[in-house]
Amino acid sequence: MTAGLKTLSDGYLMYNKEGQPFVILDLKGRPNVIVPKELVNWLTHESPNVFSARPVQYKKFGLKYWRTSDRINSQQYESAFVNTIRVLLSRKIGKMQAEIFDTMRETIDARMGLDETSWREVNLFATLQPVIFKSIGCAVFGAPLCKNDDFLNAFQAFNTGLGAGAILLGQCLPSFICPLVGYLYSIPVSVYRTRVLRFIVPVVEERKKRTRLDKADPQLADDWSTDLMTQGLTTFSEETTLAISNDLLALMLGAIASTTMAATNAFVDILCSSPEFCCYDRLREEVVLAINTEEDWLDPAFLMKLPCTDSAIRESLRQNPLQARPVVREVVHKDGTTIPGGSHLPPGTWVGVAANGLHRDERFYPEPNTYDPFRFSRERTESALISGVGRKETVGVTKSGRNQLSTTSDTFVSFGHGRFACPGRWLASHLLKLMLAYVVLNYDIQPLDKRPADILFADQMVPSRNTIIKVRRRKLIK
C-alpha cells in the first residue's frame, strides 16, 4: 500500500502502538520501514555510517535532476553550512533583532493596515508569506537586499518553481520520466535563478572584498557580519562568487515555504481554538506583560517571557506536522543494519517515523485530537498568567527547555530529531514567536468558525491558501 496519510495512521494504530514496525510504499514505489516510538532514538542517534538523512533529501527532492553542484550532497559541505547556521543563530541573533523586527513590523502593517475604525478582509497565507520572506531574507541576505521588492519577487518565483518541481520529481513522478521532466522544468527555473543571481552576486562580491580586508581585525568584522550570507563567506571563502550565490539558493529551498506554512497553521489553529481557552486574549496578555518599552522588541530575551506563545505554536506543529514523515533515514552501511530485536535491513532501505500517528497518540498527549494551545506551557512555567490584559504582575518564565518550540524529542518530530534535526529551527521559532507577538498586540482578528483542512501533497502537509480573515488595527493606550 502507498504512504497516504490514512495508511500511515492505520499502520501506526495497528503496529507502532504495539511497539512493532511496518512497511509501506511511497508514491515512487520505494519501501519505507516505519518504526514505533520505542525505536525513534535508535534511528535518529545511530552513527551516520549506518543511517544518513543526506541521501534521502537528495532523492526526495530530485536534486540529481537539477543543475546543482554534487558537493551539496557531501558530508563535509553539509557540516560546514550547518555549523555556519548554528553560529549565526547562537551568536548573531541579538545583533540581527532590530533589523528583523523593523522589517517584520513594516511588512505586517502594510499588509494588515493601520485603520483602527473598520475591519479589513485579507488572505491569511498571502499576508504571512511576504512577512516570512522578508524576515528570513533579512537574516540570510541582510536588510538592504531583503527590502528590495524586485529581489523578493524574483526569489519567490524561483523558490516556488523549484520547490514544486522538486516534490514532483523526487516524490511523485515515476523515475523513468524524471530526466525528461527535470530537463524541461529546469528551463524556466534557470530563468528565475538568473534573475535572483543578478541581485545576489554583486552583494556577495562586495562582501567577499570586505571580508578579506577585515581578516586582520576579527572584532571589526564581527560588528557587521551578522547575516548568513556573510557568515558563509568565512567558511567558503575560496569558492567563486557564483558558486556561493548558487549554494545559498539551493540551501534556502523549502525554508521560506515551510515557515510560511507553519505560521499559517498557527494562526488558523489559534483562531479556531475553543472559546474556553480564550487563546487570543491570553496571548495578548502575555505580550503586554512582557513588553514594557518599545526597546524591548529589539531584545531577543523578551521572547523567553512568552511561554504561552511558544506553546501555542508548538501545539499547532504537533497537530499539523509539515511532513507526514519528517524523520527519514537511509541505511548506508554496506552490510545493512538490524532493527533491535527484529529484522535485517539491507543497504538503501528507508526508515522513518509516522509523525501524525505519533503526535496524536493519547499515551503521550491527553486528548490528542484537541488543539490545546497551552498544553506545553502548563508543563514548563513557574507561574500562571493572571487574567486581565494590562496588569503588570507576574510574567511566566521558562522553567526548562524540554517542551520549548524548537526542542525535538522521540514524541515530537516536527523539526526532525537527533543528528539530522533541522538546524534552522531556532531561527524559525524566533521569527514565528516574534511575528505572533506583534500581531496579537497590535491587531484584533475575528475568530474562524471552522478550521480549513490541510492538503497532503506527496509527503507535505499544506495548509489552505484560501483562508480569509478579518483584521482591525487595535487602539493602543499610550
Side-chain angles (χ1 to χ4, degrees), residues 392-410:
K392 309 287 187 179
E393 294 171 7
T394 305
V395 178
V397 293
T398 299
K399 183 186 294 185
S400 73
R402 187 168 63 89
N403 284 318
Q404 287 188 27
L405 173 55
S406 59
T407 303
T408 69
S409 73
D410 58 358

Side-chain angles (χ1 to χ4, degrees), residues 169-444:
L169 291 168
Q171 301 178 42
C172 298
L173 298 178
S175 299
F176 73 87
I177 201 174
C178 287
L180 175 59
V181 174
Y183 173 78
L184 296 175
Y185 211 96
S186 292
I187 296 174
V189 170
S190 294
V191 174
Y192 298 146
R193 183 198 301 270
T194 300
R195 291 175 180 172
V196 177
L197 291 175
R198 288 174 183 169
F199 295 96
I200 297 178
V201 168
V203 177
V204 173
E205 185 60 39
E206 185 274 332
R207 294 192 191 182
K208 284 182 70 176
K209 292 179 181 178
R210 184 166 183 176
T211 300
R212 287 193 293 266
L213 292 174
D214 288 345
K215 275 187 176 180
D217 189 349
Q219 181 60 47
L220 178 63
D222 187 66
D223 288 339
W224 65 272
S225 57
T226 57
D227 55 69
L228 179 60
M229 178 191 292
T230 306
Q231 289 293 309
L233 294 178
T234 63
T235 304
F236 300 103
S237 58
E238 301 304 317
E239 300 294 338
T240 66
T241 299
L242 184 60
I244 294 172
S245 301
N246 273 307
D247 293 343
L248 286 167
L249 291 182
L251 291 169
M252 283 291 290
L253 175 63
I256 291 175
S258 61
T259 308
T260 303
M261 290 190 291
T264 303
N265 274 329
F267 272 97
V268 167
D269 285 328
I270 289 167
L271 297 175
C272 292
S273 62
S274 173
E276 67 180 278
F277 294 117
C278 300
C279 183
Y280 202 85
D281 289 339
R282 287 187 64 185
L283 294 179
R284 174 178 290 169
E285 174 184 359
E286 181 176 67
V287 179
V288 169
L289 294 173
I291 294 291
N292 294 307
T293 67
E294 189 70 14
E295 285 68 33
D296 288 337
W297 289 105
L298 311 183
D299 182 3
F302 100 88
L303 294 176
M304 296 299 293
K305 300 177 182 179
L306 305 179
C308 291
T309 302
D310 187 284
S311 175
I313 301 171
R314 182 178 173 91
E315 173 72 349
S316 178
L317 283 170
R318 180 191 70 82
Q319 283 217 315
N320 308 284
L322 300 182
Q323 297 182 63
R325 293 164 298 159
V327 177
V328 183
R329 306 286 188 265
E330 181 174 310
V331 178
V332 294
H333 195 279
K334 63 182 180 64
D335 297 325
T337 189
T338 300
I339 296 176
S343 305
H344 179 75
L345 304 176
T349 303
W350 283 17
V351 186
V353 178
N356 199 59
L358 183 65
H359 287 183
R360 292 175 183 260
D361 191 325
E362 68 278 1
R363 296 177 298 170
F364 316 125
Y365 300 103
E367 299 184 57
N369 294 319
T370 298
Y371 174 76
D372 178 354
F374 312 120
R375 181 188 301 274
F376 298 104
S377 59
R378 283 195 299 270
E379 300 176 11
R380 38 181 292 260
T381 54
E382 294 179 339
S383 55
L385 290 175
I386 54 175
S387 61
V389 174
R391 293 170 62 184
K392 309 287 187 179
E393 294 171 7
T394 305
V395 178
V397 293
T398 299
K399 183 186 294 185
S400 73
R402 187 168 63 89
N403 284 318
Q404 287 188 27
L405 173 55
S406 59
T407 303
T408 69
S409 73
D410 58 358
T411 58
F412 185 85
V413 294
S414 289
F415 290 115
H417 185 48
R419 191 182 302 274
F420 295 97
C422 174
R425 64 188 184 275
W426 292 283
L427 177 60
S429 301
H430 188 95
L431 297 179
L432 288 170
K433 288 188 285 186
L434 186 62
M435 178 179 64
L436 181 55
Y438 182 78
V439 171
V440 299
L441 181 64
N442 290 281
Y443 289 91
D444 294 322

